[in-house]
Amino acid sequence: MKFDIVSTIYYMKLSISNNKEIFTRNSFSIVYASYNKDNDTYTILREKDEFKTKKEYKKYLSNYYNSLCKLYKCDFVDEINELGTLLLKFVNYDFTDFNFFVEFVREYGIPGIDFYDVNKGPSNPFNKYINLNITNDRKNIFLKPKDFLSVCEKYFKKRQKILIYYQSKFKKLINFINNLSNLDYLNDFSIADRFYIYKHADDDYIDLYLELSEFITLSYDIEPLRNMTPSSLCHAKSSFEENAKNIAQKLKNDSRKYDNDIFSSLSFNCHTIETACLITLLELIKHDTPIYVCKNCGKYFIPSSKKNTLYCNNIYEHGKTCQEIGAMITYNDKLKKDEVTALYRKTLSAKKMLANRNPDIPIYLEKYEKWKEEANKFKQDIKNGLKTEEQFKQWIEETRRKY
C-alpha cells in the first residue's frame, strides 16, 4: 500500500508567544518492530514511555529477540522551546558531516532533506519505500533504516550546498548584529540598530529575505523591502564595511526612532526550515536578544543571564556542560595567575631589598629598575592577549637571578 506523505511530513507551523517558539512539524523517531519472515509483515511493538521502568521495557523487548528490528516512524511533534532554539540548532549543525545531516533529516522530515520548489511544490523522496506491511498500525508511516539512509545519501550533496549557503548567511547576520568581531564603530548601538545598519549596507539581507519570504503561507508585507536598496543610503559601489560605517555614522547623528518591528502576525505556516529560522532571528532582533559564541565549544548560544556570556549550557563531555567546564577553566586560570602573581611579588621584593641594602652598589638598583620595567611590559602583553601567564612564570624563573 502506497501513501502520499507529502502533506503529512511537509507540514510545519511556527508560533511565537511570550518569548517562546512553538514549532509544530513531523519528524522521524526510531521504533522497534517484530518481523515475520514467513509472510513479510511487521508488528510494531509497544514504546518505552508505556513502561514504568527501563528494566520492564528491556524485558519486554527480550521476548522478541530473534525477530526484533528497528524502523523509522513519521511522528507528529509539537515542541515548545525558548525563542531562538531552532535558529541556534541550525547554525550549529555541521552540514559537512553526513551523520549530522541524517540527524537533521530525522528531526525535520522532508523539509530537512529537500528544499521546497515553489514552481513544482513539495517532492516526496521517501514515497517508493513506503510499502511495508504493518499488521497493527495502518495510520502511521514507517521506513526501513537502510531505505531512510539511502534517500539521505542520494540528497546529501545537493542539500548540503543549500544548507551551508543559508547557514553562512545567518552566521554573517548574527555576527554583525551582535558585534562578535568587536568592531569599534558598532559598540554604541543596540542589536536592533545594528540590524538597521546591516540591512541597509548591502543587498545581502534583502536577497535573503526575498528568497525565503515566499515560503511563508501567512506572509507579511514585503513591498517596503523591495524598494530598500543600499543605494538609498550609501554609495552602491562601496564595500559592505564602508557602507556600514557610513550608515552607522548617519544613525548616530539621527534622533529618529527606527522601526524594527517586523511582524504583524506571530503564527506562520512555513515550507522550509530556513524560513522558520529567519522568522525566529527577526523576533530575537525585535526583543534585542543577544547571541554569543561559546568560548569552549565554539557554538552559538543565547545566555541564560547577563553574567553568563562566555560559555553555553550544552553538554560537552563526560556529562559536563561547557558552563561547568568553563568554571573549572576560570578557576584553574585564577590559581595559575595567583601563583604567578605571588612569584612576581616575591622576586620584585627580593630585588628591591637587595638594592636598598646596597646603596653603594648602583648596579643592583639598575637591575631592579630594568627587571621591573620588563615585568610591567610582560603583564601588559598578557592583558592584550599577546603572551600567557605560563610564559610570564617561565620568564620570572629565568631572570630572577640573572638580573
Side-chain angles (χ1 to χ4, degrees):
M1 181 178 180
K2 290 273 186 181
F3 295 86
D4 180 8
I5 65 169
V6 174
S7 58
T8 50
I9 300 187
Y10 228 106
Y11 177 76
M12 287 195 301
K13 183 176 181 179
L14 177 67
S15 300
I16 297 171
S17 177
N18 298 323
N19 226 29
K20 300 282 185 183
E21 59 182 39
I22 302 96
F23 191 38
T24 306
R25 67 188 189 280
N26 281 281
S27 65
F28 289 99
S29 64
I30 292 176
V31 296
Y32 287 96
S34 175
Y35 176 60
N36 188 328
K37 291 181 180 179
D38 296 334
N39 54 13
D40 193 26
T41 60
Y42 294 85
T43 302
I44 305 302
L45 302 180
R46 293 165 64 191
E47 297 189 36
K48 189 189 296 183
D49 56 6
E50 298 179 52
F51 295 84
K52 291 182 179 179
T53 64
K54 287 183 180 179
K55 189 175 181 181
E56 286 182 19
Y57 180 56
K58 285 182 178 180
K59 186 177 179 181
Y60 167 73
L61 291 181
S62 66
N63 295 327
Y64 301 92
Y65 180 78
N66 293 325
S67 61
L68 193 66
C69 66
K70 285 182 184 178
L71 294 178
Y72 280 6
K73 175 186 176 183
C74 180
D75 270 332
F76 187 78
V77 176
D78 197 6
E79 280 187 338
I80 301 177
N81 292 309
E82 295 297 321
L83 181 63
T85 300
L86 170 66
L87 173 68
L88 293 176
K89 278 186 177 181
F90 184 81
V91 295
N92 287 327
Y93 263 107
D94 179 5
F95 290 120
T96 63
D97 188 316
F98 176 70
N99 292 323
F100 279 105
F101 177 67
V102 172
E103 181 187 324
F104 183 73
V105 176
R106 275 192 53 196
E107 189 158 6
Y108 299 110
I110 286 182
I113 203 166
D114 194 19
F115 196 75
Y116 189 91
D117 190 321
V118 178
N119 299 318
K120 297 179 181 178
S123 61
N124 181 0
F126 294 109
N127 202 41
K128 71 175 184 178
Y129 295 108
I130 304 169
N131 52 10
L132 302 183
N133 190 354
I134 309 294
T135 62
N136 59 340
D137 192 332
R138 299 288 180 179
K139 294 180 180 179
N140 292 301
I141 297 157
F142 298 89
L143 292 164
K144 293 179 183 178
K146 68 173 185 177
D147 295 334
F148 182 84
L149 291 174
S150 175
V151 173
C152 288
E153 286 173 357
K154 181 180 176 181
Y155 280 80
F156 176 50
K157 291 297 180 184
K158 176 186 173 184
R159 185 71 170 117
Q160 179 191 48
K161 290 179 181 177
I162 298 172
L163 290 169
I164 290 175
Y165 167 78
Y166 282 108
Q167 190 183 57
S168 66
K169 293 269 188 180
F170 287 129
K171 284 182 178 181
K172 182 182 175 183
L173 178 50
I174 290 169
N175 290 346
F176 187 87
I177 64 176
N178 290 281
N179 198 18
L180 297 181
S181 298
N182 296 314
L183 302 173
D184 291 340
Y185 69 91
L186 293 177
N187 284 340
D188 298 329
F189 292 107
S190 67
I191 289 171
D193 285 338
R194 290 177 196 145
F195 175 58
Y196 175 87
I197 294 167
Y198 184 92
K199 67 184 181 182
H200 286 81
D202 194 2
D203 57 4
D204 202 40
Y205 170 73
I206 311 304
D207 290 343
L208 174 68
Y209 186 91
L210 295 177
E211 283 170 12
L212 294 180
S213 61
E214 61 183 321
F215 300 115
I216 307 172
T217 304
L218 304 178
S219 184
Y220 35 91
D221 183 18
I222 64 172
E223 285 308 311
L225 282 166
R226 293 188 188 278
N227 300 318
M228 190 179 70
T229 60
S231 57
S232 63
L233 281 170
C234 53
H235 197 280
K237 291 183 179 179
S238 300
S239 69
F240 170 78
E241 189 172 359
E242 287 173 337
N243 286 340
K245 284 181 179 178
N246 291 335
I247 295 166
Q249 189 59 49
K250 290 178 182 179
L251 184 59
K252 192 175 287 187
N253 297 334
D254 199 331
S255 59
R256 284 189 300 143
K257 177 75 175 175
Y258 291 95
D259 183 16
N260 280 303
D261 191 357
I262 311 297
F263 305 126
S264 56
S265 170
L266 292 179
S267 185
F268 309 87
N269 290 332
C270 308
H271 297 302
T272 73
I273 299 153
E274 293 88 337
T275 304
C277 287
L278 177 63
I279 292 168
T280 57
L281 177 55
L282 294 176
E283 273 296 304
L284 289 172
I285 292 168
K286 189 172 79 172
H287 293 288
D288 221 38
T289 303
I291 296 176
Y292 293 87
V293 173
C294 178
K295 296 287 185 184
N296 185 54
C297 68
K299 292 182 178 179
Y300 291 88
F301 75 104
I302 295 172
S304 54
S305 68
K306 289 184 178 180
K307 292 181 179 179
N308 175 36
T309 59
L310 296 178
Y311 303 100
C312 70
N313 222 3
N314 297 322
I315 299 296
Y316 183 70
E317 60 182 14
H318 308 306
K320 291 188 180 295
T321 65
C322 287
Q323 209 171 103
E324 290 171 322
I325 292 171
M328 287 190 290
I329 291 171
T330 302
Y331 177 72
N332 290 332
D333 285 347
K334 186 177 181 302
L335 286 180
K336 190 179 288 184
K337 187 175 181 180
D338 289 346
E339 181 188 350
V340 174
T341 301
L343 179 62
Y344 160 74
R345 287 175 178 169
K346 183 180 177 181
T347 306
L348 184 70
S349 178
K351 290 183 178 297
K352 185 177 181 181
M353 188 181 295
L354 186 63
N356 289 340
R357 286 180 178 177
N358 299 277
D360 55 327
I361 309 176
I363 190 67
Y364 289 143
L365 181 60
E366 290 174 14
K367 285 185 175 183
Y368 162 70
E369 294 292 350
K370 184 182 177 184
W371 190 89
K372 185 170 73 169
E373 182 183 344
E374 291 190 18
N376 287 336
K377 185 179 182 305
F378 217 115
K379 288 197 290 182
Q380 188 60 45
D381 286 345
I382 293 172
K383 191 175 180 181
N384 294 335
L386 301 174
K387 292 181 180 176
T388 65
E389 295 287 340
E390 189 61 40
Q391 288 174 322
F392 190 32
K393 180 184 177 184
Q394 187 178 345
W395 178 82
I396 294 172
E397 289 172 342
E398 290 174 353
T399 60
R400 61 190 304 184
R401 289 187 177 84
K402 193 181 292 183
Y403 279 64

